[in-house]
Each structure stands twice: as structure tokens, then as C-alpha cells.
Amino acid sequence: MSHLFPNYKRKELALIKGDKNRLTDQSGKNYLDFTSGIGVANLGYNDPKLNQVLVEQSKLLWHTPNLYENQLQEEVAKKLANGKEYVSYFCNSGAEANEAAIKLARKATGKSKIITFINSFHGRTYGAMSATGQNSIHTGFEPLVPDFVYLPFNEIEPLKNEIDPHTAAVMLELIQGEGGVLPADESWIQAVQSLCKEYGVLLIIDEIQTGIGRTGNFYAHGYYQIEPDIFTLAKGLGNGIPVGAMVGKANLAAFFGPGSHGSTFGGNNLAMSVASIVVERINHPDFLQEVQNRSQQLFTGLNQLAEKNKLIKAVRGKGLMLGLEFSDQETLNVILDQLEIEGLLALKAGQTVLRLLPPLTVTETEIDEGLMIIEHVLNNLASRTLLSKKEIDNE
Ligand SMILES: *Cc1c(COP(=O)(O)O)cnc(C)c1O
């Protein structure tokens, strides 16, 4: 028997080794990785520089409690502020970053209502789960944290009707990741920010999946030309070393005074030493330009494929966060299994979306290789589906 809780649906596949943008399983089979471990390993695997800083820091000091000054935290926080007036709080995961954001929003405004959106995903702890607009994630865990209201994404009228002087914050993902790779409309985001300003409501952007270069901008909110009051980070920040951050405008700092919030491991030295290099490397115009080039290559290839192959209903996303919509769950599951057999690891989002999150270091040749595998699998499936349709017609 397994001694693990069965809370994850696991594939019969154990990955034991990684190098650059490829992974190896227990049988020695190699895969091109279009998952980045769910948007985590943005710089791929076995990166010599990241390995080096981790080993060096491990010999110096693993942990220091947050009772003392921490230069590594200061260094990463400064890099995350990106020249703007932002301050950071460090934790160990995305859910924890959102917990901090929710607590800060309540404390800073003295209000409790937080508006979030249907199909959102903000994490699994009580606050973050309560913020998540998906019934299936709430089932069996009620009562939730009170005063969360879920509204339709990309619609302004419902928000106009709901936002009021009792609202502490509006919280959203700029591209709903787990929900199905659904990008927010630019005009909608502008309108959301205006409404927040009008009512003195904090705007919280969950950049846990979209941040750290994933969309071809260091932060996705850079595309939307907004300045969130608070934004949260995790997945790509440590390239696999657990770390999260809640970043807020400096005028919110006073509301998180000594004793208000904390974490034993938050801002751990090993995590900070790695995060510092990750941020430095990714938040560079040349690096981000290259992400945009690879993105364009992948989008072009997938759009061309979608024109020929009717199984694909839509191609969406930004940067190297892409979603391919299919008509039903069974088709998607078959595709994912076939891709794996052909040596390409990909992800699911929602029920019907194939999600691609390659490492940001993916090469031109590897994008071509990935596209070829996807085309091969989809064309095979399309001709099989055609065949079985003919068989049905003949009967
Ligand atoms: C993954 C994710 C989270 C949760 O992060 P954990 O580290 O799993 O707690 C929250 N928000 C978004 C948008 C995410 O993609």
C-alpha cells in the first residue's frame, strides 16, 4: 500500500533527473518538458549557477530566524520592487502569500469583504481556498472564511453592482491559470483599477503563476499598465526551492507592524540566495525578449495547427503560458497520454484545456520539436476520430 494520502491523482511515472529543459524518468526515458513543474522551473533544471549559489549558501548558513536582520531578504525585496515603491514579505508557498495579502487587506482597510472571480485559483489554505471561486474546491470544507464574493471574470457590470464602501479588496489573476488559461481583457482590468480607486478598495493581483517572466514581461501586470496595491508571487521565484512573496505598496507597510504576521521559514537563506539569482537573470530585457520570441514561435505554430486540425477549439495565453481548448475531457486525457508516450510532458487546466508552460529557457529547436510532437499526436487522433465516425456512419 501507499503510505501517502491519495489527495493527488498521480501518473504512473516518476521523474528522477532533470537537465536544462528535459526530464528523465525511472526507466531512463527522456522527455521534453513543457510543464516546468507547473510553472516553477522557469530556468530549467540543473542550472550550474543556481546549483552553485545553493551549495555555497548551504555551507554558510541554512536558516536564520526572523529575529535578526537578513541582507538576503533585503536584496531580493529590492529586486522585486523593480525600481518602484514596494516592500516584500517572504513566505514558503503561493497559498501563504495570498493569506498574507488577505490579512493585510483586511487590516489596512478595517473592512472584510473581498471580491474575487469565478474559476479563479488562489490556493488551498482556508483564506486562499475561500478566495478561490470554484465550488469543487470548497466541497466538504465549509464553512469558509466569510465575506468573499465571486463574480464573473471579464465582466464589469457585476463588479459595479457589488463593489461598495465595505469592500476591502478585489483580488484576481491576470490570466486564470488553473481555471483554463483565460486572460483578462485589458479594458476590463483598467476599469477594475478605476473602480478600486474610486471606492478606496485595494487591488490585489495574484501573480503566483503569471509572475517571474512567465508571460514575457517580468510581471504580467506590466502588460496591463496597472500598479496593484498588492501582488503575490511563488511558483517561479525559487525555480523549485519553496518560496513565496507578498509584495505591497510602501504605504501599506505600517499595517504589518511587528507581531502582526510571520513565518518561521519565510525568507529562508537557501531560498533567498536562489531567488536573488533567478530574479536577476529573468528580469533582464534580453532574457524577456527571448521569452517573447519563443512565445511568438509557439503561438504561430499552434495557430497554424489549429487551422488544419479541428480538434483544437481555441489557442490562448501570453508569453510561455499557453492553453489549447478541446471539446471534451476524454479527448484531452487521450492527448496528454499520447504526448507523454511521444516524449512531451504537458499539463491540464480546467477540464478541457491543454496547458503548456515550458521553461523560459526553452530553445528554438525545442519549440519546433514540441510542435512536431503535438502535431503528430493531434493528427493521429483526428484521423482516428474520423475513422471511427465513418465506422459509425457505415453501421
Ligand atoms: C499555484 C497557484 C497558487 C497556489 O500556490 P501554492 O504554492 O500551491 O500554495 C495560488 N495562485 C495561483 C494563481 C496559482 O497558480
Side-chain angles (χ1 to χ4, degrees):
M1 68 166 274
S2 168
H3 290 276
L4 299 172
F5 273 106
N7 59 316
Y8 301 107
K9 188 164 187 280
R10 294 176 192 270
K11 288 189 163 286
E12 270 179 58
L13 171 73
L15 297 165
I16 54 163
K17 211 167 72 174
D19 193 61
K20 299 199 171 72
N21 309 312
R22 293 183 193 269
L23 289 160
T24 308
D25 73 10
Q26 79 274 41
S27 75
K29 180 172 170 179
N30 285 310
Y31 301 87
L32 179 60
D33 177 41
F34 274 20
T35 72
S36 305
I38 321 191
V40 170
N42 286 2
L43 293 173
Y45 307 95
N46 197 25
D47 181 89
K49 178 70 183 168
L50 295 182
N51 287 352
Q52 185 200 330
V53 297
L54 186 63
V55 168
E56 275 170 11
Q57 185 59 47
S58 78
K59 292 176 188 165
L60 222 51
L61 186 62
W62 290 12
H63 171 81
T64 172
N66 284 308
L67 303 168
Y68 305 108
E69 286 191 359
N70 190 320
Q71 267 321 115
L72 280 168
Q73 287 184 17
E74 286 288 350
E75 187 181 305
V76 179
K78 185 173 178 198
K79 289 178 183 176
L80 292 180
N82 208 9
K84 300 216 167 100
E85 298 261 300
Y86 280 107
V87 292
S88 284
Y89 159 81
F90 291 107
C91 50
N92 313 287
S93 68
E96 274 178 81
N98 285 339
E99 291 297 328
I102 292 162
K103 284 180 71 175
L104 177 60
R106 281 190 168 189
K107 191 143 190 288
T109 60
K111 298 164 187 172
S112 61
K113 183 162 102 180
I114 297 183
I115 297 171
T116 67
F117 296 89
I118 293 165
N119 259 327
S120 58
F121 183 79
H122 298 296
R124 301 286 193 157
T125 53
Y126 258 95
M129 172 181 69
S130 303
T132 295
Q134 298 188 46
N135 288 335
S136 59
I137 286 179
H138 300 158
T139 308
F141 298 115
E142 296 93 349
L144 304 179
V145 176
D147 290 349
F148 283 94
V149 179
Y150 318 109
L151 299 181
F153 195 64
N154 272 337
E155 287 184 30
I156 200 65
E157 283 308 317
L159 182 62
K160 276 187 183 158
N161 295 334
E162 188 62 45
I163 199 166
D164 63 12
H166 306 293
T167 310
V170 172
M171 178 172 178
L172 58 92
E173 299 155 89
L174 291 170
I175 304 175
Q176 290 190 330
E178 304 301 314
V181 193
L182 294 155
D185 298 335
E186 239 161 271
S187 57
W188 180 66
I189 291 297
Q190 292 293 332
V192 171
Q193 177 169 264
S194 303
L195 278 176
C196 285
K197 286 203 168 131
E198 187 183 332
Y199 285 89
V201 169
L202 297 174
L203 178 59
I204 304 174
I205 303 294
D206 180 340
E207 291 246 24
I208 289 164
Q209 193 160 154
T210 55
I212 320 291
R214 177 50 58 189
T215 65
N217 214 311
F218 186 61
Y219 296 129
H221 67 253
Y223 276 120
Y224 289 85
Q225 290 165 14
I226 51 164
E227 285 209 2
D229 296 289
I230 299 172
F231 59 95
T232 50
L233 302 168
K235 291 194 165 82
L237 182 54
N239 211 64
I241 302 293
V243 58
M246 190 255 313
V247 187
K249 283 192 172 160
N251 64 2
L252 295 171
F255 298 102
F256 252 19
S260 57
H261 191 57
S263 158
T264 299
F265 293 135
N268 171 275
N269 287 347
L270 296 176
M272 290 293 107
S273 65
V274 172
S276 183
I277 304 295
V278 167
V279 172
E280 193 172 299
R281 180 120 41 107
I282 295 180
N283 195 10
H284 187 286
D286 295 344
F287 186 95
L288 294 168
Q289 183 58 54
E290 198 50 28
V291 174
Q292 289 175 22
N293 296 346
R294 294 291 72 78
S295 168
Q296 206 169 35
Q297 185 191 354
L298 189 50
F299 266 108
T300 305
L302 291 173
N303 281 324
Q304 282 171 357
L305 181 56
E307 274 173 30
K308 292 179 285 178
N309 192 303
K310 296 300 164 211
L311 290 172
I312 304 174
K313 301 299 167 203
V315 182
R316 299 191 289 263
K318 260 195 173 66
L320 288 174
M321 180 170 181
L322 286 87
L324 269 70
E325 174 109 41
F326 291 94
S327 57
D328 60 281
Q329 202 172 346
E330 292 87 281
T331 307
L332 177 59
N333 288 339
V334 172
I335 291 167
L336 279 165
D337 287 344
Q338 287 301 316
L339 290 174
E340 185 191 309
I341 291 168
E342 303 277 336
L344 182 75
L345 296 180
L347 297 160
K348 202 172 178 171
Q351 299 301 319
T352 54
V353 177
L354 176 75
R355 179 170 40 155
L356 304 176
L357 303 172
L360 307 182
T361 49
V362 68
T363 64
E364 193 175 349
T365 325
E366 286 166 340
I367 294 278
D368 281 337
E369 185 185 335
L371 280 168
M372 253 166 58
I373 297 174
I374 295 169
E375 178 161 7
H376 180 69
V377 164
L378 292 186
N379 286 349
N380 264 354
L381 190 65
S383 54
R384 248 167 52 197
T385 320
L386 254 163
L387 263 172
S388 58
K389 270 213 189 92
K390 272 193 195 135
E391 280 161 19
I392 294 166
D393 289 348
N394 289 342
E395 271 169 16

